[in-house]
Amino acid sequence: MEKEAKTYLRIKNFVAPFIGLAVNISAYGTENIVTNGKVILTCNHRSDMDPFILSYTFPRFISWIAAEYTFRIPIFRDLAKIAGGIPMSIDGNISIGSIKMIQQVFKKGETLGIFPEGHDYMVKNDFKSGMVDFHSGFAAFSIRNKVDILPSVIIPVEESYSDIPIPPIVRSFMGMPKEVCDIKKRAIYKKVKVVYGEKVDHREFLSGSLEENMKQLSDVVRTRMIALQEGQYAEA
């Protein structure tokens, strides 16, 4: 992942000034950021801008898990591959190749970034609603690989909404699922807060049933993220 990390950081350094000009970004709870060693970074997902916003405030290389169909989008596909992106099917299935990539992230002591909501919030297309239910795959990665989870949230302060720039028929031609083809609007951030919470220790979820532990861990992380979203954090 060393090559991917260097590419990611080069892209980040190039894009960051433009992101900073386009969006007023404030970060809170940065003292909670795990500065070294393997960790899973989770965040809510309400805009296609989210990975760029989070990467802007996070000082480490993030190997993002992204929906497999996004790797068919021109330009993004190439950038995602060279910057360490890992494809995952929307039904939760993950290829052997992607599993090996995830294991390499942890072996190198890097950060795995994932949006537990998947694309479900954006499919719902109601930007005033709260977080939707989580997919529990991130909890399985945590338990099976013995990795702590760092919860974070993006809180919009000012935003606008616009039509998706890629027409539905083009999205369909690119192989996107119907629910993604039917999305009408996208959120465009103008001013946001990025909040990092305290890490969740995986060791509390190692004994007993994997399925039960996955659900409990997923619920704990979601509860923490909702609390952050509702303002339960300290502003400097």
Side-chain angles (χ1 to χ4, degrees), residues 30-56:
T30 52
E31 69 277 5
N32 295 316
I33 292 176
V34 181
T35 56
N36 56 73
K38 60 184 180 180
V39 69
I40 295 173
L41 175 65
T42 61
C43 188
N44 58 324
H45 196 22
R46 55 194 314 285
S47 170
D48 51 13
M49 297 175 70
D50 292 336
F52 303 99
I53 298 296
L54 206 60
S55 296
Y56 181 89

PDB file of all heavy atoms in Angstrom, residues 30-56:
ATOM      1  N   THR A  30     -10.372  16.456  17.006  1.00  0.00           N
ATOM      2  CA  THR A  30      -9.199  15.932  16.309  1.00  0.00           C
ATOM      3  C   THR A  30      -8.204  15.263  17.266  1.00  0.00           C
ATOM      4  O   THR A  30      -7.370  14.479  16.828  1.00  0.00           O
ATOM      5  CB  THR A  30      -8.481  17.048  15.528  1.00  0.00           C
ATOM      6  OG1 THR A  30      -8.224  18.155  16.404  1.00  0.00           O
ATOM      7  CG2 THR A  30      -9.338  17.527  14.368  1.00  0.00           C
ATOM      8  N   GLU A  31      -8.336  15.570  18.553  1.00  0.00           N
ATOM      9  CA  GLU A  31      -7.477  14.904  19.533  1.00  0.00           C
ATOM     10  C   GLU A  31      -7.804  13.415  19.641  1.00  0.00           C
ATOM     11  O   GLU A  31      -7.010  12.630  20.167  1.00  0.00           O
ATOM     12  CB  GLU A  31      -7.617  15.564  20.912  1.00  0.00           C
ATOM     13  CG  GLU A  31      -8.953  15.363  21.597  1.00  0.00           C
ATOM     14  CD  GLU A  31     -10.042  16.348  21.155  1.00  0.00           C
ATOM     15  OE1 GLU A  31      -9.780  17.140  20.224  1.00  0.00           O
ATOM     16  OE2 GLU A  31     -11.141  16.319  21.738  1.00  0.00           O
ATOM     17  N   ASN A  32      -8.983  13.026  19.128  1.00  0.00           N
ATOM     18  CA  ASN A  32      -9.383  11.613  19.145  1.00  0.00           C
ATOM     19  C   ASN A  32      -8.827  10.816  17.968  1.00  0.00           C
ATOM     20  O   ASN A  32      -8.938   9.585  17.950  1.00  0.00           O
ATOM     21  CB  ASN A  32     -10.919  11.499  19.143  1.00  0.00           C
ATOM     22  CG  ASN A  32     -11.551  12.059  20.408  1.00  0.00           C
ATOM     23  OD1 ASN A  32     -11.069  11.801  21.510  1.00  0.00           O
ATOM     24  ND2 ASN A  32     -12.622  12.817  20.249  1.00  0.00           N
ATOM     25  N   ILE A  33      -8.259  11.510  16.995  1.00  0.00           N
ATOM     26  CA  ILE A  33      -7.746  10.812  15.818  1.00  0.00           C
ATOM     27  C   ILE A  33      -6.598   9.885  16.221  1.00  0.00           C
ATOM     28  O   ILE A  33      -5.670  10.301  16.920  1.00  0.00           O
ATOM     29  CB  ILE A  33      -7.266  11.813  14.747  1.00  0.00           C
ATOM     30  CG1 ILE A  33      -8.472  12.565  14.162  1.00  0.00           C
ATOM     31  CG2 ILE A  33      -6.507  11.098  13.628  1.00  0.00           C
ATOM     32  CD1 ILE A  33      -8.090  13.653  13.167  1.00  0.00           C
ATOM     33  N   VAL A  34      -6.699   8.633  15.791  1.00  0.00           N
ATOM     34  CA  VAL A  34      -5.643   7.655  16.034  1.00  0.00           C
ATOM     35  C   VAL A  34      -4.507   7.972  15.071  1.00  0.00           C
ATOM     36  O   VAL A  34      -4.658   7.839  13.858  1.00  0.00           O
ATOM     37  CB  VAL A  34      -6.165   6.221  15.822  1.00  0.00           C
ATOM     38  CG1 VAL A  34      -5.066   5.208  16.092  1.00  0.00           C
ATOM     39  CG2 VAL A  34      -7.367   5.956  16.724  1.00  0.00           C
ATOM     40  N   THR A  35      -3.384   8.404  15.600  1.00  0.00           N
ATOM     41  CA  THR A  35      -2.318   8.942  14.753  1.00  0.00           C
ATOM     42  C   THR A  35      -1.411   7.879  14.137  1.00  0.00           C
ATOM     43  O   THR A  35      -0.653   8.167  13.214  1.00  0.00           O
ATOM     44  CB  THR A  35      -1.451   9.936  15.543  1.00  0.00           C
ATOM     45  OG1 THR A  35      -0.946   9.283  16.719  1.00  0.00           O
ATOM     46  CG2 THR A  35      -2.278  11.146  15.959  1.00  0.00           C
ATOM     47  N   ASN A  36      -1.467   6.660  14.658  1.00  0.00           N
ATOM     48  CA  ASN A  36      -0.666   5.587  14.052  1.00  0.00           C
ATOM     49  C   ASN A  36      -1.311   4.250  14.355  1.00  0.00           C
ATOM     50  O   ASN A  36      -2.109   4.110  15.293  1.00  0.00           O
ATOM     51  CB  ASN A  36       0.783   5.615  14.553  1.00  0.00           C
ATOM     52  CG  ASN A  36       0.868   5.528  16.061  1.00  0.00           C
ATOM     53  OD1 ASN A  36       0.642   4.477  16.646  1.00  0.00           O
ATOM     54  ND2 ASN A  36       1.171   6.642  16.708  1.00  0.00           N
ATOM     55  N   GLY A  37      -0.973   3.267  13.540  1.00  0.00           N
ATOM     56  CA  GLY A  37      -1.528   1.925  13.706  1.00  0.00           C
ATOM     57  C   GLY A  37      -2.858   1.759  12.988  1.00  0.00           C
ATOM     58  O   GLY A  37      -3.508   2.721  12.593  1.00  0.00           O
ATOM     59  N   LYS A  38      -3.259   0.517  12.832  1.00  0.00           N
ATOM     60  CA  LYS A  38      -4.466   0.193  12.073  1.00  0.00           C
ATOM     61  C   LYS A  38      -5.724   0.695  12.780  1.00  0.00           C
ATOM     62  O   LYS A  38      -5.834   0.654  14.006  1.00  0.00           O
ATOM     63  CB  LYS A  38      -4.554  -1.320  11.837  1.00  0.00           C
ATOM     64  CG  LYS A  38      -4.616  -2.163  13.113  1.00  0.00           C
ATOM     65  CD  LYS A  38      -4.589  -3.640  12.767  1.00  0.00           C
ATOM     66  CE  LYS A  38      -4.662  -4.497  14.032  1.00  0.00           C
ATOM     67  NZ  LYS A  38      -4.636  -5.949  13.730  1.00  0.00           N
ATOM     68  N   VAL A  39      -6.666   1.179  12.002  1.00  0.00           N
ATOM     69  CA  VAL A  39      -7.931   1.668  12.537  1.00  0.00           C
ATOM     70  C   VAL A  39      -8.967   1.702  11.408  1.00  0.00           C
ATOM     71  O   VAL A  39      -8.607   1.818  10.224  1.00  0.00           O
ATOM     72  CB  VAL A  39      -7.756   3.082  13.155  1.00  0.00           C
ATOM     73  CG1 VAL A  39      -7.481   4.125  12.071  1.00  0.00           C
ATOM     74  CG2 VAL A  39      -8.963   3.479  13.989  1.00  0.00           C
ATOM     75  N   ILE A  40     -10.231   1.561  11.784  1.00  0.00           N
ATOM     76  CA  ILE A  40     -11.337   1.705  10.827  1.00  0.00           C
ATOM     77  C   ILE A  40     -12.013   3.045  11.099  1.00  0.00           C
ATOM     78  O   ILE A  40     -12.457   3.304  12.218  1.00  0.00           O
ATOM     79  CB  ILE A  40     -12.352   0.557  10.964  1.00  0.00           C
ATOM     80  CG1 ILE A  40     -11.707  -0.781  10.594  1.00  0.00           C
ATOM     81  CG2 ILE A  40     -13.576   0.814  10.076  1.00  0.00           C
ATOM     82  CD1 ILE A  40     -12.598  -1.987  10.859  1.00  0.00           C
ATOM     83  N   LEU A  41     -12.078   3.890  10.088  1.00  0.00           N
ATOM     84  CA  LEU A  41     -12.722   5.195  10.190  1.00  0.00           C
ATOM     85  C   LEU A  41     -14.118   5.104   9.593  1.00  0.00           C
ATOM     86  O   LEU A  41     -14.273   4.754   8.420  1.00  0.00           O
ATOM     87  CB  LEU A  41     -11.897   6.242   9.446  1.00  0.00           C
ATOM     88  CG  LEU A  41     -12.477   7.655   9.354  1.00  0.00           C
ATOM     89  CD1 LEU A  41     -12.574   8.290  10.726  1.00  0.00           C
ATOM     90  CD2 LEU A  41     -11.621   8.514   8.420  1.00  0.00           C
ATOM     91  N   THR A  42     -15.144   5.397  10.400  1.00  0.00           N
ATOM     92  CA  THR A  42     -16.520   5.379   9.899  1.00  0.00           C
ATOM     93  C   THR A  42     -17.075   6.794   9.859  1.00  0.00           C
ATOM     94  O   THR A  42     -16.681   7.655  10.651  1.00  0.00           O
ATOM     95  CB  THR A  42     -17.440   4.510  10.791  1.00  0.00           C
ATOM     96  OG1 THR A  42     -17.471   5.054  12.129  1.00  0.00           O
ATOM     97  CG2 THR A  42     -16.951   3.074  10.833  1.00  0.00           C
ATOM     98  N   CYS A  43     -17.991   7.031   8.938  1.00  0.00           N
ATOM     99  CA  CYS A  43     -18.595   8.358   8.807  1.00  0.00           C
ATOM    100  C   CYS A  43     -19.974   8.219   8.181  1.00  0.00           C
ATOM    101  O   CYS A  43     -20.246   7.242   7.466  1.00  0.00           O
ATOM    102  CB  CYS A  43     -17.708   9.253   7.937  1.00  0.00           C
ATOM    103  SG  CYS A  43     -18.229  10.999   7.891  1.00  0.00           S
ATOM    104  N   ASN A  44     -20.849   9.194   8.469  1.00  0.00           N
ATOM    105  CA  ASN A  44     -22.141   9.213   7.784  1.00  0.00           C
ATOM    106  C   ASN A  44     -21.920   9.585   6.320  1.00  0.00           C
ATOM    107  O   ASN A  44     -20.875  10.107   5.947  1.00  0.00           O
ATOM    108  CB  ASN A  44     -23.096  10.190   8.474  1.00  0.00           C
ATOM    109  CG  ASN A  44     -22.553  11.616   8.541  1.00  0.00           C
ATOM    110  OD1 ASN A  44     -21.354  11.840   8.713  1.00  0.00           O
ATOM    111  ND2 ASN A  44     -23.431  12.595   8.411  1.00  0.00           N
ATOM    112  N   HIS A  45     -22.931   9.296   5.489  1.00  0.00           N
ATOM    113  CA  HIS A  45     -22.723   9.452   4.037  1.00  0.00           C
ATOM    114  C   HIS A  45     -23.961  10.047   3.389  1.00  0.00           C
ATOM    115  O   HIS A  45     -24.911   9.343   3.062  1.00  0.00           O
ATOM    116  CB  HIS A  45     -22.417   8.088   3.436  1.00  0.00           C
ATOM    117  CG  HIS A  45     -21.812   8.155   2.063  1.00  0.00           C
ATOM    118  ND1 HIS A  45     -21.162   9.255   1.563  1.00  0.00           N
ATOM    119  CD2 HIS A  45     -21.761   7.216   1.060  1.00  0.00           C
ATOM    120  CE1 HIS A  45     -20.731   9.010   0.342  1.00  0.00           C
ATOM    121  NE2 HIS A  45     -21.092   7.791   0.007  1.00  0.00           N
ATOM    122  N   ARG A  46     -23.926  11.379   3.186  1.00  0.00           N
ATOM    123  CA  ARG A  46     -25.082  12.080   2.642  1.00  0.00           C
ATOM    124  C   ARG A  46     -24.769  12.817   1.345  1.00  0.00           C
ATOM    125  O   ARG A  46     -25.640  13.429   0.741  1.00  0.00           O
ATOM    126  CB  ARG A  46     -25.646  13.049   3.679  1.00  0.00           C
ATOM    127  CG  ARG A  46     -24.633  14.042   4.209  1.00  0.00           C
ATOM    128  CD  ARG A  46     -25.121  14.768   5.464  1.00  0.00           C
ATOM    129  NE  ARG A  46     -26.465  15.263   5.377  1.00  0.00           N
ATOM    130  CZ  ARG A  46     -26.819  16.338   4.682  1.00  0.00           C
ATOM    131  NH1 ARG A  46     -25.877  16.988   3.982  1.00  0.00           N
ATOM    132  NH2 ARG A  46     -28.058  16.747   4.669  1.00  0.00           N
ATOM    133  N   SER A  47     -23.501  12.781   0.906  1.00  0.00           N
ATOM    134  CA  SER A  47     -23.113  13.476  -0.316  1.00  0.00           C
ATOM    135  C   SER A  47     -21.919  12.778  -0.952  1.00  0.00           C
ATOM    136  O   SER A  47     -21.112  12.157  -0.251  1.00  0.00           O
ATOM    137  CB  SER A  47     -22.748  14.933   0.001  1.00  0.00           C
ATOM    138  OG  SER A  47     -22.157  15.580  -1.112  1.00  0.00           O
ATOM    139  N   ASP A  48     -21.795  12.916  -2.272  1.00  0.00           N
ATOM    140  CA  ASP A  48     -20.616  12.362  -2.938  1.00  0.00           C
ATOM    141  C   ASP A  48     -19.361  13.169  -2.616  1.00  0.00           C
ATOM    142  O   ASP A  48     -18.250  12.787  -2.981  1.00  0.00           O
ATOM    143  CB  ASP A  48     -20.826  12.265  -4.457  1.00  0.00           C
ATOM    144  CG  ASP A  48     -21.318  13.575  -5.077  1.00  0.00           C
ATOM    145  OD1 ASP A  48     -21.258  14.630  -4.389  1.00  0.00           O
ATOM    146  OD2 ASP A  48     -21.771  13.540  -6.230  1.00  0.00           O
ATOM    147  N   MET A  49     -19.522  14.276  -1.882  1.00  0.00           N
ATOM    148  CA  MET A  49     -18.378  15.078  -1.449  1.00  0.00           C
ATOM    149  C   MET A  49     -17.736  14.527  -0.170  1.00  0.00           C
ATOM    150  O   MET A  49     -16.635  14.944   0.210  1.00  0.00           O
ATOM    151  CB  MET A  49     -18.822  16.527  -1.197  1.00  0.00           C
ATOM    152  CG  MET A  49     -19.356  17.261  -2.420  1.00  0.00           C
ATOM    153  SD  MET A  49     -19.993  18.922  -2.010  1.00  0.00           S
ATOM    154  CE  MET A  49     -18.472  19.784  -1.617  1.00  0.00           C
ATOM    155  N   ASP A  50     -18.409  13.598   0.505  1.00  0.00           N
ATOM    156  CA  ASP A  50     -17.989  13.158   1.839  1.00  0.00           C
ATOM    157  C   ASP A  50     -16.542  12.663   1.930  1.00  0.00           C
ATOM    158  O   ASP A  50     -15.811  13.086   2.833  1.00  0.00           O
ATOM    159  CB  ASP A  50     -18.949  12.088   2.374  1.00  0.00           C
ATOM    160  CG  ASP A  50     -20.327  12.647   2.669  1.00  0.00           C
ATOM    161  OD1 ASP A  50     -20.438  13.862   2.900  1.00  0.00           O
ATOM    162  OD2 ASP A  50     -21.299  11.871   2.645  1.00  0.00           O
ATOM    163  N   PRO A  51     -16.100  11.758   1.049  1.00  0.00           N
ATOM    164  CA  PRO A  51     -14.717  11.290   1.199  1.00  0.00           C
ATOM    165  C   PRO A  51     -13.679  12.400   1.045  1.00  0.00           C
ATOM    166  O   PRO A  51     -12.629  12.371   1.696  1.00  0.00           O
ATOM    167  CB  PRO A  51     -14.573  10.230   0.099  1.00  0.00           C
ATOM    168  CG  PRO A  51     -15.702  10.438  -0.825  1.00  0.00           C
ATOM    169  CD  PRO A  51     -16.797  11.047  -0.031  1.00  0.00           C
ATOM    170  N   PHE A  52     -13.988  13.403   0.230  1.00  0.00           N
ATOM    171  CA  PHE A  52     -13.058  14.509   0.040  1.00  0.00           C
ATOM    172  C   PHE A  52     -13.035  15.428   1.266  1.00  0.00           C
ATOM    173  O   PHE A  52     -11.981  15.895   1.685  1.00  0.00           O
ATOM    174  CB  PHE A  52     -13.438  15.301  -1.219  1.00  0.00           C
ATOM    175  CG  PHE A  52     -13.489  14.475  -2.460  1.00  0.00           C
ATOM    176  CD1 PHE A  52     -14.697  14.003  -2.967  1.00  0.00           C
ATOM    177  CD2 PHE A  52     -12.315  14.128  -3.115  1.00  0.00           C
ATOM    178  CE1 PHE A  52     -14.732  13.222  -4.110  1.00  0.00           C
ATOM    179  CE2 PHE A  52     -12.345  13.349  -4.266  1.00  0.00           C
ATOM    180  CZ  PHE A  52     -13.561  12.885  -4.756  1.00  0.00           C
ATOM    181  N   ILE A  53     -14.218  15.652   1.851  1.00  0.00           N
ATOM    182  CA  ILE A  53     -14.313  16.481   3.050  1.00  0.00           C
ATOM    183  C   ILE A  53     -13.583  15.825   4.212  1.00  0.00           C
ATOM    184  O   ILE A  53     -12.808  16.461   4.939  1.00  0.00           O
ATOM    185  CB  ILE A  53     -15.785  16.733   3.426  1.00  0.00           C
ATOM    186  CG1 ILE A  53     -16.520  17.495   2.315  1.00  0.00           C
ATOM    187  CG2 ILE A  53     -15.896  17.453   4.758  1.00  0.00           C
ATOM    188  CD1 ILE A  53     -15.985  18.890   2.063  1.00  0.00           C
ATOM    189  N   LEU A  54     -13.811  14.525   4.380  1.00  0.00           N
ATOM    190  CA  LEU A  54     -13.177  13.820   5.490  1.00  0.00           C
ATOM    191  C   LEU A  54     -11.665  13.745   5.299  1.00  0.00           C
ATOM    192  O   LEU A  54     -10.895  13.962   6.235  1.00  0.00           O
ATOM    193  CB  LEU A  54     -13.775  12.416   5.621  1.00  0.00           C
ATOM    194  CG  LEU A  54     -13.715  11.794   7.021  1.00  0.00           C
ATOM    195  CD1 LEU A  54     -14.472  12.643   8.026  1.00  0.00           C
ATOM    196  CD2 LEU A  54     -14.265  10.384   7.016  1.00  0.00           C
ATOM    197  N   SER A  55     -11.242  13.453   4.088  1.00  0.00           N
ATOM    198  CA  SER A  55      -9.807  13.369   3.806  1.00  0.00           C
ATOM    199  C   SER A  55      -9.119  14.710   4.036  1.00  0.00           C
ATOM    200  O   SER A  55      -7.949  14.753   4.422  1.00  0.00           O
ATOM    201  CB  SER A  55      -9.577  12.909   2.362  1.00  0.00           C
ATOM    202  OG  SER A  55     -10.075  11.595   2.166  1.00  0.00           O
ATOM    203  N   TYR A  56      -9.837  15.794   3.828  1.00  0.00           N
ATOM    204  CA  TYR A  56      -9.283  17.137   4.023  1.00  0.00           C
ATOM    205  C   TYR A  56      -8.848  17.345   5.474  1.00  0.00           C
ATOM    206  O   TYR A  56      -7.835  17.996   5.745  1.00  0.00           O
ATOM    207  CB  TYR A  56     -10.340  18.173   3.634  1.00  0.00           C
ATOM    208  CG  TYR A  56      -9.900  19.616   3.758  1.00  0.00           C
ATOM    209  CD1 TYR A  56      -9.280  20.262   2.693  1.00  0.00           C
ATOM    210  CD2 TYR A  56     -10.134  20.336   4.934  1.00  0.00           C
ATOM    211  CE1 TYR A  56      -8.875  21.585   2.803  1.00  0.00           C
ATOM    212  CE2 TYR A  56      -9.733  21.658   5.050  1.00  0.00           C
ATOM    213  CZ  TYR A  56      -9.115  22.277   3.983  1.00  0.00           C
ATOM    214  OH  TYR A  56      -8.719  23.596   4.098  1.00  0.00           O
TER     215      TYR A  56
END
